[in-house]
Amino acid sequence: MSARELVVLGTSSQVPTKTRNHNGYLLLWDGEGLLFDPGEGTQRQLSLAGVSASQITRICITHLHGDHCFGLPGVLQRLEMDRVTHPVDLWYPASGTVYIERLRGAVIGRAEVALRSKPAEEGLLADTGEFRLLARRLDHRVDTLGYRLEEPAGVRMLPDRLAARGVQGPDITRLQETGAIEVDAGTVRLGEVSVPRRGQVFAFVMDTRLCDTAFELAADADMLVAEATFLSEHADLAASYGHLTAAQAATIARDAGARLLVLTHFSQRYDDAGARARAEAETVFDGEIVAAEDLMRVPLPARH
Amino acid sequence: MSARELVVLGTSSQVPTKTRNHNGYLLLWDGEGLLFDPGEGTQRQLSLAGVSASQITRICITHLHGDHCFGLPGVLQRLEMDRVTHPVDLWYPASGTVYIERLRGAVIGRAEVALRSKPAEEGLLADTGEFRLLARRLDHRVDTLGYRLEEPAGVRMLPDRLAARGVQGPDITRLQETGAIEVDAGTVRLGEVSVPRRGQVFAFVMDTRLCDTAFELAADADMLVAEATFLSEHADLAASYGHLTAAQAATIARDAGARLLVLTHFSQRYDDAGARARAEAETVFDGEIVAAEDLMRVPLPARH
């Protein structure tokens, strides 16, 4: 299996700091690269992270506040300069279409990139066979979508049983595709030589108050990336600006049954924001927690 | 006199590097802050340079290629977040108005900043009494303006002669304003107690082939900021993309009689671009040369 990992490009909320650029997250998933919320400076952060713009296959924007999208023109220009020819799908809340058009239209160029705008409402956005991409509406100050990527359930083949039944080579693939094959010793059914394997799940919950859809997006996620703009001491600000506290992000991870929680989108008001958010989250969630730092790479946890 | 200095925010041409952000230059001139060519990431570079967005009083954009303007939405958002209430004038080539409107329109917000768009052609753009701001058309691939800031000529008062004639305190100001005053010993004329003093000049020449207007903008400049995208070994590329080599930038400085040449806008193709550009420029121009680095501050040379 190819690498599945999150490349963290930026981790600051509204105001960037010396160590935290505005948002930006590239999810590498086998051969795909899903860029979430390209804030200003994402183009440069991609270079600093050692990622080529040509690795981007899809762009998902949660909402049109500047810290989540002002990097779009630069990314588009880079795709063009790097002569990327594969199509790139761009999802964003449908009500933000006018802003997307302005950001796209700010680029002087030949517009050779096959960027396909996909104004989105809730629901299934794409099904590639390899994964399904879904969106749910969150609760922020402007229309905001959370995203969820689901690998379909599959099976894990059991080498011992395959060997015992004399199935090998191309027959294994044929068995997976058809569910049953004939060998010298008779019929072999897939269920006899495999066990079910659930698909991996990635969830992206940004800029929202605590809401039911956040839990739904995060259900059984192997990796949940969640904003933790505030600490609990500022829960009132979080509520009034439509954000989560670190404890609330951890509550989502815990109650939704997530395995790994990646905290990000920290307010510049806190020194040592990551460590404090993590400490607060640990009081709520006993799974794995990562406080995101710029240019960090976070692998998707290995399958159970 | 308040400080007059250039705060270098970014020094890369099209592609940012680990050490060079996209363009951005803030000229602090007494109480004013003129922001030239805010490329993507300028908002963060301002913070890293220790500059507050509220110091910006005017914005001058040479042309609408992304590396010279994609930072505009972020700067506008920052002005708004920082509750800047003073007016900010924004000049740019008139033919680029549609791009400016898209960049401005990408910002979701209350638009409380008193930003005054000033689509510009060649000529005098502003005369504050303290300085005149002028623009001339350059020779790039899209409409491009170079800028020049001129302090009006004045006088330097001579303390010895003032003392000899018994002029002191508020009388000095009155003499400067009226040109002559009566004192106990008779009439004192300004010319008797002062010598003429030329005004200081700043010139900004970005993204152009060698052209007459570049020399005109730079005439007798105390500081000339000039792009030096290429080295002479790539003079053919410079010509075809509408850029200067370091030697050409130095030729402008030499022939225009500039005092200090600040080289910038380096191509990412060169390792050690600044040092190489400077070495090349030194073979042509024997005035002071600075190869710009991000976050450097370059004082305007002291008056002669």
Side-chain angles (χ1 to χ4, degrees):
Chain A
M1 191 186 73
S2 311
R4 295 183 181 178
E5 65 177 350
L6 184 75
V7 183
V8 178
L9 302 169
T11 57
S12 138
S13 61
Q14 267 189 335
V15 178
T17 70
K18 287 193 192 221
T19 56
R20 298 186 186 279
N21 196 60
H22 275 140
N23 291 289
Y25 310 88
L26 182 70
L27 177 66
L28 298 177
W29 187 279
D30 304 341
E32 297 247 7
L34 294 94
L35 177 62
F36 291 87
D37 282 359
E40 184 176 356
T42 292
Q43 177 183 180
R44 188 180 186 200
Q45 296 296 97
L46 284 166
S47 301
L48 296 180
V51 177
S52 155
S54 66
Q55 291 179 254
I56 299 169
T57 57
R58 299 164 198 271
I59 303 174
C60 300
I61 292 178
T62 60
H63 66 297
L64 277 300
H65 279 150
D67 51 329
H68 296 257
C69 65
F70 280 175
L72 185 62
V75 169
L76 298 183
Q77 190 156 77
R78 182 61 69 83
L79 288 170
E80 189 173 298
M81 286 198 301
D82 291 357
R83 304 188 191 288
V84 169
T85 54
H86 63 247
V88 174
D89 288 340
L90 169 65
W91 287 279
Y92 50 85
S95 65
T97 299
V98 63
Y99 295 101
I100 291 290
E101 286 176 352
R102 289 170 186 162
L103 289 165
R104 287 190 65 173
V107 183
I108 299 182
R110 295 150 301 172
E112 282 171 1
V113 177
L115 187 76
R116 302 187 293 208
S117 278
K118 309 248 178 195
E121 307 286 352
E122 292 192 299
L124 178 65
L125 305 181
D127 187 343
T128 69
E130 303 298 315
F131 61 78
R132 301 183 342 135
L133 180 67
L134 303 106
R136 294 301 306 272
R137 192 170 299 280
L138 294 170
D139 180 18
H140 190 45
R141 307 195 303 278
V142 298
D143 277 356
T144 300
L145 293 174
Y147 292 94
R148 176 181 170 93
L149 187 146
E150 294 178 346
E151 181 186 30
V155 295
R156 182 162 62 84
M157 303 305 279
L158 300 172
D160 289 355
R161 294 205 198 164
L162 287 167
R165 301 294 295 272
V167 182
Q168 57 188 342
D171 278 348
I172 298 175
T173 305
R174 208 153 50 81
L175 176 57
Q176 287 177 301
E177 287 168 1
T178 62
I181 53 169
E182 298 298 324
V183 293
D184 294 346
T187 301
V188 178
R189 294 182 195 287
L190 183 57
E192 296 166 354
V193 292
S194 69
V195 289
R197 187 190 72 182
R198 62 177 285 279
Q200 289 191 302
V201 172
F202 169 84
F204 190 78
V205 173
M206 206 56 54
D207 287 31
T208 187
R209 295 179 188 87
L210 217 48
C211 59
D212 290 345
T213 45
F215 291 87
E216 292 167 24
L217 285 163
D220 298 323
D222 293 277
M223 180 188 290
L224 164 63
V225 178
E227 66 123 320
T229 313
F230 292 101
L231 301 174
S232 291
E233 65 190 77
H234 294 118
D236 55 334
L237 291 180
S240 71
Y241 289 117
H243 283 295
L244 298 174
T245 64
Q248 289 172 328
T251 301
I252 297 170
R254 181 191 66 199
D255 293 357
R259 294 176 62 201
L260 164 62
L261 170 63
V262 178
L263 298 168
T264 186
H265 194 272
F266 303 115
S267 167
Q268 90 287 357
R269 81 187 58 222
Y270 305 116
D271 289 333
D272 216 9
R276 294 180 67 188
R278 184 193 162 114
E280 183 171 303
E282 283 172 345
T283 66
V284 175
F285 175 58
D286 62 8
E288 194 184 349
I289 301 172
V290 169
E293 302 289 339
D294 287 28
L295 308 183
M296 172 186 271
R297 286 176 182 242
V298 188
L300 208 75
R303 295 178 191 280
H304 281 296
Chain B
M1 192 187 73
S2 311
R4 294 182 181 177
E5 65 177 351
L6 185 75
V7 183
V8 177
L9 302 169
T11 57
S12 136
S13 60
Q14 266 188 337
V15 179
T17 70
K18 287 193 190 218
T19 56
R20 299 186 186 278
N21 196 62
H22 275 140
N23 292 289
Y25 311 88
L26 182 71
L27 177 66
L28 298 176
W29 187 280
D30 305 341
E32 298 248 7
L34 294 95
L35 178 62
F36 292 86
D37 282 358
E40 184 176 355
T42 292
Q43 176 183 182
R44 188 179 186 201
Q45 297 295 99
L46 284 166
S47 301
L48 296 180
V51 177
S52 155
S54 66
Q55 291 178 255
I56 300 168
T57 56
R58 300 163 198 271
I59 302 174
C60 301
I61 292 178
T62 60
H63 66 296
L64 277 302
H65 280 150
D67 52 329
H68 296 258
C69 65
F70 281 175
L72 184 63
V75 168
L76 298 183
Q77 190 156 76
R78 181 61 70 82
L79 288 169
E80 189 173 297
M81 286 198 302
D82 291 356
R83 304 187 192 286
V84 169
T85 54
H86 62 247
V88 174
D89 289 339
L90 169 65
W91 287 278
Y92 50 85
S95 64
T97 299
V98 62
Y99 296 102
I100 291 290
E101 286 175 352
R102 289 170 186 161
L103 289 165
R104 288 190 64 172
V107 183
I108 298 182
R110 296 151 300 173
E112 283 171 2
V113 177
L115 187 76
R116 303 187 293 208
S117 278
K118 310 250 179 194
E121 306 285 352
E122 292 193 298
L124 178 66
L125 305 181
D127 188 343
T128 69
E130 303 298 316
F131 61 78
R132 302 185 338 137
L133 181 66
L134 303 106
R136 294 302 306 272
R137 191 170 299 281
L138 294 170
D139 180 18
H140 190 45
R141 307 195 302 278
V142 298
D143 276 356
T144 299
L145 293 174
Y147 292 94
R148 175 181 171 93
L149 187 146
E150 293 178 347
E151 182 185 27
V155 295
R156 181 162 63 83
M157 304 304 281
L158 301 171
D160 289 355
R161 295 206 197 164
L162 287 167
R165 300 294 297 271
V167 184
Q168 56 187 345
D171 278 348
I172 298 175
T173 306
R174 207 152 51 81
L175 175 58
Q176 288 177 299
E177 287 169 359
T178 62
I181 52 169
E182 298 297 325
V183 293
D184 293 346
T187 302
V188 178
R189 296 183 193 286
L190 182 57
E192 296 166 355
V193 293
S194 70
V195 290
R197 186 189 72 182
R198 62 178 285 279
Q200 287 191 303
V201 172
F202 170 85
F204 190 77
V205 172
M206 206 58 52
D207 287 32
T208 187
R209 296 179 188 87
L210 216 48
C211 59
D212 290 346
T213 46
F215 292 87
E216 292 167 24
L217 286 162
D220 298 322
D222 293 277
M223 181 189 289
L224 164 63
V225 177
E227 66 124 320
T229 312
F230 292 100
L231 300 174
S232 291
E233 65 190 76
H234 294 117
D236 54 333
L237 292 180
S240 72
Y241 289 118
H243 283 295
L244 297 175
T245 64
Q248 290 172 329
T251 301
I252 298 171
R254 182 192 65 199
D255 294 357
R259 294 176 63 202
L260 165 61
L261 170 63
V262 178
L263 298 168
T264 186
H265 194 273
F266 303 115
S267 167
Q268 90 287 358
R269 81 187 57 219
Y270 306 116
D271 289 333
D272 216 8
R276 293 180 69 188
R278 183 193 163 113
E280 183 171 304
E282 282 172 344
T283 65
V284 174
F285 175 58
D286 62 7
E288 195 185 346
I289 300 172
V290 169
E293 302 289 339
D294 286 28
L295 309 182
M296 172 185 273
R297 286 176 182 244
V298 187
L300 208 74
R303 293 179 193 279
H304 282 297

